[in-house]
Amino acid sequence: MNGETNMVQSQTSEIPIFPPGDLWSEEPPLESYRHLKQLLLLLACLERFWKNRNDFFVAANMSVYYSTRQRKSEEMRGPDFFVVLDTERRERKSWVIWEEEGKYPNFIIEVLSDSTANTDRGLKKQLYQDIWRTPDYFWFDPYTLEFQGFHLMNGEYQAIQANEQGWLWSEQLQLYLGILEEKLRFFTQAGELVLTPEEEADTERARAQEAIAEVDAERQRSAILRKKLQEMGINPDDIT
């Protein structure tokens, strides 16, 4: 009997114990790989463009705790992409308002999905306007390409008017946001695309190749001219 009991206990101990399936996560999963790529693109572009600045914090899909009672167990939201200005540029696991001199995000983008679009257009927009007082709020749908932006004026969000290219201006970032190849991108006030590190490297390589090609072309022109002078009986070395 004891042998059977020990066998049952041994078999029971080998059965893996899985966590309950209803564990609450502070951050909802991203809707799709396209949503993830969009957020990574925004992060890479802004961090490269501001690589010489140390007075901002930018994050994606990170928890923001804003409880007036300074409790992380209540009043939390996770914007898809946000920027805080006039703060120390350093790594953080989350943004805790009462640990950051009361600073809320200056700029927010929500990437719309079927499950979050109504909340992003309604509840979150109201929260960012009335409680967080976030000056610039944008949303973008990576599938339908729905794109809108709002700037806080006199306590209420006013829709930002697009320029001729269809871009929207962010007062906080001093950058335009616009759609290029079905992706939301940043543009400078002069209209230049804010590049990713990879795009910047590709651009530099292309410029280097153009410079090399120009030098080669100049050498060829010089060689042709030298030959023609020699055919005319003129020594090119005698020409100053």
Side-chain angles (χ1 to χ4, degrees), residues 1-186:
M1 188 69 177
N2 289 338
E4 293 178 358
T5 302
N6 291 336
M7 183 177 296
V8 171
Q9 290 176 343
S10 176
Q11 292 175 344
T12 303
S13 64
E14 293 175 358
I15 298 175
I17 300 175
F18 295 98
D22 60 349
L23 287 178
W24 180 73
S25 173
E26 292 184 344
E27 298 303 329
L30 293 174
E31 190 81 2
S32 69
Y33 182 56
R34 187 176 297 192
H35 286 73
L36 174 61
K37 288 178 66 177
Q38 177 63 75
L39 294 180
L40 293 176
L41 177 63
L42 293 169
L43 278 170
C45 289
L46 195 60
E47 289 192 330
R48 186 209 64 81
F49 188 64
W50 285 353
K51 61 185 176 182
N52 296 322
R53 291 180 55 171
N54 293 302
D55 61 347
F56 74 98
F57 178 73
V58 57
N61 205 40
M62 176 182 283
S63 298
V64 176
Y65 296 97
Y66 61 102
S67 167
T68 56
R69 297 194 294 180
Q70 300 188 2
R71 294 179 180 179
K72 289 188 177 182
S73 60
E74 56 191 32
E75 295 183 329
M76 180 278 296
R77 283 289 173 179
D80 288 334
F81 182 90
F82 69 90
V83 180
V84 183
L85 302 175
D86 300 319
T87 189
E88 182 182 0
R89 184 178 185 180
R90 60 178 174 81
E91 183 180 351
R92 295 167 173 86
K93 293 182 178 180
S94 61
W95 187 264
V96 185
I97 298 299
W98 58 89
E99 294 178 358
E100 302 288 351
E101 301 179 353
K103 291 182 180 295
Y104 284 86
N106 296 79
F107 173 95
I108 292 175
I109 298 175
E110 293 289 358
V111 183
L112 303 182
S113 66
D114 292 341
S115 62
T116 66
N118 289 336
T119 300
D120 293 335
R121 298 190 194 103
L123 179 63
K124 279 193 172 181
K125 181 171 179 273
Q126 202 72 32
L127 172 72
Y128 299 155
Q129 171 187 278
D130 298 338
I131 306 299
W132 290 21
R133 316 297 288 171
T134 296
D136 287 350
Y137 176 46
F138 296 81
W139 67 58
F140 172 68
D141 189 316
Y143 287 95
T144 67
L145 305 186
E146 177 185 341
F147 175 46
Q148 284 192 260
F150 304 88
H151 181 68
L152 194 66
M153 295 182 64
N154 299 320
E156 293 186 359
Y157 276 139
Q158 303 295 326
I160 300 172
Q161 299 302 311
N163 66 3
E164 294 180 356
Q165 291 87 355
W167 303 344
L168 305 183
W169 178 250
S170 167
E171 290 284 349
Q172 294 297 297
L173 302 189
Q174 290 293 293
L175 291 171
Y176 283 107
L177 287 90
I179 300 172
L180 177 66
E181 297 178 349
E182 298 188 346
K183 298 179 181 66
L184 189 63
R185 301 296 300 264
F186 294 116

